[in-house]
Protein backbone atom coordinates (compact mmCIF):
# COMPACT_ATOMS: atom_id res chain seq x y z
CA UNK A 1 0.00 0.00 0.00
CA UNK A 2 1.22 3.50 -0.77
CA UNK A 3 2.08 5.96 1.99
CA UNK A 4 -0.54 8.40 3.24
CA UNK A 5 -0.17 12.05 2.20
CA UNK A 6 -1.65 14.74 4.42
CA UNK A 7 -2.12 17.96 2.44
CA UNK A 8 -2.65 21.32 4.14
CA UNK A 9 -3.50 24.47 2.24
CA UNK A 10 -6.10 27.13 1.70
CA UNK A 11 -9.55 25.98 0.61
CA UNK A 12 -11.06 28.86 -1.28
CA UNK A 13 -13.76 30.33 -3.45
CA UNK A 14 -11.96 32.01 -6.36
CA UNK A 15 -12.82 34.55 -9.02
CA UNK A 16 -10.38 34.34 -11.92
CA UNK A 17 -9.79 36.93 -14.63
CA UNK A 18 -7.48 36.20 -17.57
CA UNK A 19 -7.10 37.55 -21.11
CA UNK A 20 -9.24 34.60 -22.21
CA UNK A 21 -12.22 35.20 -19.93
CA UNK A 22 -13.53 35.11 -16.38
CA UNK A 23 -14.74 32.49 -13.90
CA UNK A 24 -16.76 33.58 -10.87
CA UNK A 25 -16.96 31.84 -7.48
CA UNK A 26 -15.22 28.61 -8.43
CA UNK A 27 -13.46 26.05 -6.26
CA UNK A 28 -9.92 27.16 -5.51
CA UNK A 29 -7.17 27.32 -2.93
CA UNK A 30 -3.80 25.63 -2.79
CA UNK A 31 -5.20 22.64 -0.90
CA UNK A 32 -7.80 21.40 -3.42
CA UNK A 33 -5.44 21.85 -6.39
CA UNK A 34 -2.71 19.86 -4.64
CA UNK A 35 -5.05 17.16 -3.35
CA UNK A 36 -6.75 16.62 -6.72
CA UNK A 37 -3.37 16.34 -8.42
CA UNK A 38 -2.09 13.92 -5.77
CA UNK A 39 -5.13 11.66 -6.23
CA UNK A 40 -4.09 11.06 -9.83
CA UNK A 41 -1.06 9.20 -8.45
CA UNK A 42 -2.13 7.83 -5.06
CA UNK A 43 -5.18 6.42 -3.29
CA UNK A 44 -4.36 8.03 0.07
CA UNK A 45 -4.56 11.83 0.09
CA UNK A 46 -6.25 13.65 2.98
CA UNK A 47 -6.98 17.37 2.80
CA UNK A 48 -6.68 19.50 5.94
CA UNK A 49 -8.04 23.01 6.32
CA UNK A 50 -11.12 25.04 7.16
CA UNK A 51 -14.11 26.39 5.24
CA UNK A 52 -16.93 28.70 6.18
CA UNK A 53 -20.65 27.97 6.23
CA UNK A 54 -20.88 29.53 2.76
CA UNK A 55 -18.70 26.81 1.18
CA UNK A 56 -20.88 25.07 -1.43
CA UNK A 57 -21.79 21.48 -0.63
CA UNK A 58 -21.24 20.57 -4.28
CA UNK A 59 -17.55 21.51 -3.95
CA UNK A 60 -17.14 19.07 -1.05
CA UNK A 61 -19.06 16.38 -2.91
CA UNK A 62 -16.95 16.84 -6.06
CA UNK A 63 -13.69 16.49 -4.11
CA UNK A 64 -14.95 13.40 -2.30
CA UNK A 65 -16.11 11.89 -5.59
CA UNK A 66 -12.52 12.17 -6.83
CA UNK A 67 -11.27 10.36 -3.72
CA UNK A 68 -9.91 13.33 -1.77
CA UNK A 69 -10.22 12.69 1.97
CA UNK A 70 -12.42 15.48 3.38
CA UNK A 71 -13.09 14.11 6.90
CA UNK A 72 -10.45 16.41 8.38
CA UNK A 73 -11.66 19.65 6.82
CA UNK A 74 -13.31 21.77 9.51
CA UNK A 75 -16.39 23.91 8.89
CA UNK A 76 -16.73 27.11 10.92
CA UNK A 77 -19.30 29.90 11.13
CA UNK A 78 -18.25 32.70 8.80
CA UNK A 79 -16.87 33.25 5.33
CA UNK A 80 -14.61 30.89 3.39
CA UNK A 81 -11.21 32.19 2.24
CA UNK A 82 -11.86 34.02 -1.06
CA UNK A 83 -9.44 35.30 -3.67
CA UNK A 84 -9.86 37.29 -6.87
CA UNK A 85 -6.88 37.33 -9.23
CA UNK A 86 -6.29 39.01 -12.58
CA UNK A 87 -3.63 37.94 -15.11
CA UNK A 88 -1.84 40.07 -17.67
CA UNK A 89 -1.38 39.08 -21.33
CA UNK A 90 1.85 37.45 -20.14
CA UNK A 91 0.17 35.09 -17.68
CA UNK A 92 3.38 34.65 -15.73
CA UNK A 93 2.29 37.98 -14.22
CA UNK A 94 -0.79 38.45 -12.07
CA UNK A 95 -2.16 40.70 -9.34
CA UNK A 96 -4.44 40.00 -6.44
CA UNK A 97 -7.57 42.10 -6.85
CA UNK A 98 -8.95 41.09 -3.46
CA UNK A 99 -8.29 38.59 -0.67
CA UNK A 100 -10.69 37.67 2.13
CA UNK A 101 -9.11 35.59 4.90
CA UNK A 102 -12.44 34.59 6.41
CA UNK A 103 -12.48 31.72 8.90
CA UNK A 104 -8.90 30.76 8.03
CA UNK A 105 -7.64 33.84 9.88
CA UNK A 106 -8.48 32.47 13.34
CA UNK A 107 -8.52 28.71 12.71
CA UNK A 108 -6.14 26.58 14.77
CA UNK A 109 -4.88 23.30 13.32
CA UNK A 110 -5.11 20.27 15.59
CA UNK A 111 -4.52 17.09 13.61
CA UNK A 112 -6.00 13.78 14.66
CA UNK A 113 -3.56 11.09 15.75
CA UNK A 114 -4.34 9.29 12.50
CA UNK A 115 -3.05 12.20 10.41
CA UNK A 116 -0.11 12.89 12.73
CA UNK A 117 1.17 9.46 11.72
CA UNK A 118 1.08 10.23 7.98
CA UNK A 119 4.28 9.32 6.16
CA UNK A 120 4.20 12.34 3.83
CA UNK A 121 3.36 15.90 4.97
CA UNK A 122 2.61 18.50 2.29
CA UNK A 123 2.50 22.15 3.35
CA UNK A 124 0.94 24.08 0.48
CA UNK A 125 0.88 27.83 0.08
CA UNK A 126 -0.27 29.36 3.36
CA UNK A 127 1.73 31.48 5.78
CA UNK A 128 4.98 29.83 6.94
CA UNK A 129 3.91 29.97 10.59
CA UNK A 130 0.88 27.83 9.68
CA UNK A 131 2.99 25.51 7.53
CA UNK A 132 5.27 25.00 10.53
CA UNK A 133 2.30 23.78 12.56
CA UNK A 134 1.73 20.99 10.06
CA UNK A 135 5.39 19.99 10.08
CA UNK A 136 5.51 20.06 13.90
CA UNK A 137 2.33 18.00 14.28
CA UNK A 138 3.57 15.48 11.69
CA UNK A 139 6.95 15.18 13.41
CA UNK A 140 7.24 11.49 12.49
CA UNK A 141 6.67 11.98 8.76
CA UNK A 142 9.26 10.30 6.56
CA UNK A 143 9.19 13.15 4.03
CA UNK A 144 7.99 16.75 4.31
CA UNK A 145 7.63 19.38 1.61
CA UNK A 146 6.64 23.04 1.54
CA UNK A 147 5.86 25.71 -1.05
CA UNK A 148 6.65 29.38 -0.52
CA UNK A 149 5.47 32.86 -1.56
CA UNK A 150 7.55 35.98 -2.11
CA UNK A 151 5.42 38.05 0.26
CA UNK A 152 6.17 35.72 3.15
CA UNK A 153 9.87 35.62 2.30
CA UNK A 154 9.89 39.41 2.61
CA UNK A 155 7.59 39.75 5.62
CA UNK A 156 8.20 36.63 7.72
CA UNK A 157 11.77 35.63 6.97
CA UNK A 158 12.35 34.09 10.41
CA UNK A 159 9.45 31.68 9.90
CA UNK A 160 10.62 30.93 6.35
CA UNK A 161 14.10 30.08 7.62
CA UNK A 162 12.66 27.90 10.40
CA UNK A 163 10.48 26.04 7.91
CA UNK A 164 13.35 25.48 5.48
CA UNK A 165 15.37 23.94 8.29
CA UNK A 166 12.59 21.41 8.94
CA UNK A 167 11.49 20.20 5.49
CA UNK A 168 12.99 17.70 3.06
CA UNK A 169 11.87 19.50 -0.11
CA UNK A 170 11.37 23.24 -0.67
CA UNK A 171 9.63 24.63 -3.76
CA UNK A 172 9.90 28.20 -5.01
CA UNK A 173 9.44 29.89 -8.36
CA UNK A 174 12.25 31.88 -9.96
CA UNK A 175 11.47 35.25 -8.43
CA UNK A 176 10.86 33.80 -4.97
CA UNK A 177 14.12 31.86 -4.98
CA UNK A 178 16.11 34.85 -6.21
CA UNK A 179 14.58 37.12 -3.56
CA UNK A 180 15.32 34.53 -0.89
CA UNK A 181 18.95 34.16 -1.98
CA UNK A 182 19.56 37.81 -2.86
CA UNK A 183 20.78 36.96 -6.35
CA UNK A 184 19.72 37.34 -9.98
CA UNK A 185 20.84 33.80 -10.82
CA UNK A 186 18.30 30.96 -10.41
CA UNK A 187 20.97 28.23 -10.18
CA UNK A 188 22.78 30.11 -7.45
CA UNK A 189 19.43 30.54 -5.71
CA UNK A 190 18.84 26.77 -5.84
CA UNK A 191 22.16 26.16 -4.11
CA UNK A 192 21.24 28.77 -1.48
CA UNK A 193 17.98 26.95 -0.78
CA UNK A 194 19.86 23.71 -0.12
CA UNK A 195 22.24 25.56 2.18
CA UNK A 196 19.21 26.67 4.24
CA UNK A 197 18.45 23.08 5.26
CA UNK A 198 16.32 20.94 2.91
CA UNK A 199 17.81 17.91 1.15
CA UNK A 200 15.98 18.83 -2.06
CA UNK A 201 14.91 22.09 -3.65
CA UNK A 202 12.90 22.84 -6.78
CA UNK A 203 13.07 26.17 -8.57
CA UNK A 204 10.15 26.56 -10.98
CA UNK A 205 10.71 28.59 -14.14
CA UNK A 206 7.11 28.85 -15.37
CA UNK A 207 6.90 28.20 -19.10
CA UNK A 208 10.64 27.34 -19.08
CA UNK A 209 10.31 24.25 -16.87
CA UNK A 210 11.86 23.58 -13.46
CA UNK A 211 15.18 22.59 -11.85
CA UNK A 212 15.62 20.00 -9.10
CA UNK A 213 18.58 20.29 -6.70
CA UNK A 214 19.74 17.58 -4.27
CA UNK A 215 22.36 17.79 -1.55
CA UNK A 216 24.06 14.50 -0.63
CA UNK A 217 27.38 13.94 1.15
CA UNK A 218 28.70 17.38 0.29
CA UNK A 219 27.80 17.20 -3.40
CA UNK A 220 24.91 18.74 -5.32
CA UNK A 221 23.00 17.00 -8.10
CA UNK A 222 20.95 18.99 -10.59
CA UNK A 223 18.16 17.87 -12.93
CA UNK A 224 16.53 20.27 -15.37
CA UNK A 225 13.06 19.38 -16.62
CA UNK A 226 11.54 21.29 -19.56
CA UNK A 227 7.92 22.43 -19.60
CA UNK A 228 5.06 20.82 -21.47
CA UNK A 229 4.51 22.95 -24.60
CA UNK A 230 1.17 24.69 -24.01
CA UNK A 231 -0.29 26.39 -27.08
CA UNK A 232 -3.33 28.26 -25.72
CA UNK A 233 -3.26 28.36 -21.91
CA UNK A 234 -6.50 29.64 -20.38
CA UNK A 235 -5.70 30.03 -16.69
CA UNK A 236 -2.48 29.23 -14.80
CA UNK A 237 -4.10 29.43 -11.35
CA UNK A 238 -3.15 26.45 -9.22
CA UNK A 239 -0.47 25.15 -11.58
CA UNK A 240 2.23 25.39 -8.91
CA UNK A 241 -0.01 23.79 -6.27
CA UNK A 242 -0.89 20.98 -8.68
CA UNK A 243 2.80 20.49 -9.47
CA UNK A 244 3.44 20.00 -5.76
CA UNK A 245 0.46 17.69 -5.29
CA UNK A 246 1.36 15.46 -8.23
CA UNK A 247 4.97 15.28 -7.02
CA UNK A 248 3.78 14.22 -3.56
CA UNK A 249 1.29 11.73 -4.98
CA UNK A 250 3.99 9.94 -6.92
CA UNK A 251 6.36 9.89 -3.92
CA UNK A 252 3.81 7.98 -1.82
CA UNK A 253 4.69 4.87 -3.82
CA UNK A 254 8.48 5.23 -3.61
CA UNK A 255 9.37 6.97 -0.35
CA UNK A 256 11.99 4.33 0.43
CA UNK A 257 11.81 5.11 4.16
CA UNK A 258 12.26 8.83 3.48
CA UNK A 259 15.11 8.51 1.00
CA UNK A 260 13.53 8.28 -2.48
CA UNK A 261 15.86 7.28 -5.27
CA UNK A 262 17.22 10.08 -7.45
CA UNK A 263 15.57 8.56 -10.51
CA UNK A 264 12.22 8.57 -8.71
CA UNK A 265 12.66 12.26 -7.89
CA UNK A 266 13.36 12.98 -11.55
CA UNK A 267 10.33 10.93 -12.57
CA UNK A 268 8.18 12.85 -10.09
CA UNK A 269 9.40 16.09 -11.70
CA UNK A 270 8.23 14.96 -15.13
CA UNK A 271 4.84 13.83 -13.83
CA UNK A 272 4.34 17.06 -11.89
CA UNK A 273 5.25 19.09 -14.98
CA UNK A 274 2.66 17.34 -17.14
CA UNK A 275 -0.09 17.66 -14.53
CA UNK A 276 0.65 21.35 -13.90
CA UNK A 277 0.44 22.09 -17.62
CA UNK A 278 -2.92 20.33 -17.90
CA UNK A 279 -4.33 22.60 -15.20
CA UNK A 280 -3.66 25.65 -17.39
CA UNK A 281 -5.87 24.40 -20.21
CA UNK A 282 -9.14 25.43 -18.53
CA UNK A 283 -10.30 27.74 -15.75
CA UNK A 284 -9.86 26.74 -12.13
CA UNK A 285 -9.88 23.07 -11.22
CA UNK A 286 -11.90 21.99 -14.28
CA UNK A 287 -8.93 20.32 -15.97
CA UNK A 288 -7.99 18.40 -12.82
CA UNK A 289 -11.49 16.98 -12.52
CA UNK A 290 -11.41 16.01 -16.20
CA UNK A 291 -7.92 14.49 -16.25
CA UNK A 292 -7.96 10.70 -15.88
CA UNK A 293 -5.09 8.39 -15.03
CA UNK A 294 -5.24 6.94 -18.54
CA UNK A 295 -5.00 10.39 -20.12
CA UNK A 296 -2.13 11.27 -17.78
CA UNK A 297 -0.28 8.10 -18.81
CA UNK A 298 -0.80 9.03 -22.47
CA UNK A 299 0.58 12.53 -21.91
CA UNK A 300 3.55 11.18 -19.98
CA UNK A 301 4.42 8.91 -22.90
CA UNK A 302 4.26 11.92 -25.21
CA UNK A 303 6.40 13.98 -22.83
CA UNK A 304 8.98 11.20 -22.63
CA UNK A 305 9.13 11.08 -26.43
CA UNK A 306 9.63 14.86 -26.54
CA UNK A 307 12.48 14.90 -24.03
CA UNK A 308 14.29 11.55 -24.34
CA UNK A 309 17.56 11.28 -26.21
CA UNK A 310 20.20 8.59 -26.44
Amino acid sequence: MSARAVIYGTIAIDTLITPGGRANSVLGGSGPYAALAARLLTDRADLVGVVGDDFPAEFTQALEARGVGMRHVDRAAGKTFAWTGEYEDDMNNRRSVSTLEGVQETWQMNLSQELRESELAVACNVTPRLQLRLVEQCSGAKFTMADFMESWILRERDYVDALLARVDLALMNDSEARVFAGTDDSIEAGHALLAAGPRYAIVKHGSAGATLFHREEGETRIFRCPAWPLIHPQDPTGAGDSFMGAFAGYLTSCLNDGAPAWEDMKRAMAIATVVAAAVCEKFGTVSLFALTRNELAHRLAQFHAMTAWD
Side-chain angles (χ1 to χ4, degrees):
M1 180 181 291
S2 62
R4 178 200 295 273
V6 56
I7 298 170
Y8 170 44
T10 57
I11 305 172
I13 300 173
D14 284 350
T15 294
L16 310 168
I17 307 164
T18 79
R22 180 184 180 113
N24 295 315
S25 301
V26 296
L27 173 64
S30 58
Y33 278 103
L36 285 166
R39 277 293 287 123
L40 288 164
L41 286 308
T42 183
D43 294 327
R44 305 178 72 196
D46 287 285
L47 183 58
V48 173
V50 62
V51 298
D53 46 23
D54 61 339
F55 190 72
E58 58 265 31
F59 288 178
T60 299
Q61 293 162 3
L63 287 162
E64 288 177 333
R66 291 290 286 194
V68 174
M70 296 292 288
R71 292 186 299 116
H72 306 281
V73 173
D74 291 339
R75 184 178 286 268
K79 295 289 187 181
T80 301
F81 181 90
W83 179 73
T84 298
E86 183 172 11
Y87 291 84
E88 299 177 8
D89 289 337
D90 176 358
M91 285 193 286
N92 288 311
N93 301 316
R94 75 179 185 192
R95 70 182 183 93
S96 292
V97 177
S98 66
T99 303
L100 172 70
E101 291 289 338
V103 294
Q104 179 182 273
E105 191 169 17
T106 56
W107 180 69
Q108 297 291 319
M109 178 192 298
N110 185 19
L111 295 183
S112 67
Q113 188 59 39
E114 177 187 8
L115 288 191
R116 288 172 187 256
E117 295 172 358
S118 299
E119 294 97 329
L120 184 62
V122 184
C124 299
N125 238 328
V126 291
T127 69
R129 67 179 70 191
L130 295 178
Q131 291 171 308
L132 271 169
R133 290 180 191 169
L134 176 73
V135 173
E136 289 165 356
Q137 292 187 30
C138 294
S139 58
K142 295 178 180 178
F143 199 93
T144 56
M145 47 198 297
D147 204 358
F148 294 82
M149 281 182 65
E150 185 172 327
S151 58
W152 304 123
I153 295 168
L154 293 171
R155 291 159 49 188
E156 298 194 10
R157 182 59 183 257
D158 288 347
Y159 283 102
V160 169
D161 290 341
L163 183 59
L164 284 168
R166 294 286 299 272
V167 298
D168 295 293
L169 169 62
L171 300 93
M172 293 186 185
N173 66 29
D174 265 322
S175 62
E176 293 159 353
R178 293 197 302 265
V179 166
F180 171 82
T183 178
D184 291 328
D185 186 275
S186 296
I187 301 301
E188 184 179 349
H191 285 278
L193 280 174
L194 291 183
R199 289 183 290 149
Y200 303 90
I202 293 175
V203 177
K204 297 172 288 184
H205 313 297
S207 58
T211 305
L212 171 68
F213 301 82
H214 176 40
R215 171 173 47 86
E216 184 178 42
E217 297 179 355
E219 295 187 1
T220 300
R221 286 175 163 178
I222 295 178
F223 171 65
R224 183 67 175 265
C225 185
W228 176 274
L230 275 168
I231 300 175
H232 298 297
Q234 291 296 306
D235 171 30
T237 306
D241 306 312
S242 302
F243 182 103
M244 186 181 191
F247 200 107
Y250 179 74
L251 283 190
T252 61
S253 63
C254 54
L255 267 183
N256 193 26
D257 204 28
W262 178 240
E263 291 302 316
D264 282 323
M265 294 294 287
K266 291 163 64 175
R267 203 169 288 118
M269 280 276 284
I271 294 169
T273 295
V274 172
V275 172
V279 173
C280 301
E281 294 175 351
K282 293 183 173 65
F283 276 90
T285 55
V286 172
S287 291
L288 279 174
F289 280 109
L291 187 61
T292 65
R293 290 181 175 180
N294 284 341
E295 173 62 17
L296 175 57
H298 175 66
R299 293 186 183 210
L300 285 170
Q302 289 181 297
F303 193 55
H304 184 267
M306 292 178 201
T307 56
W309 60 284
D310 190 64

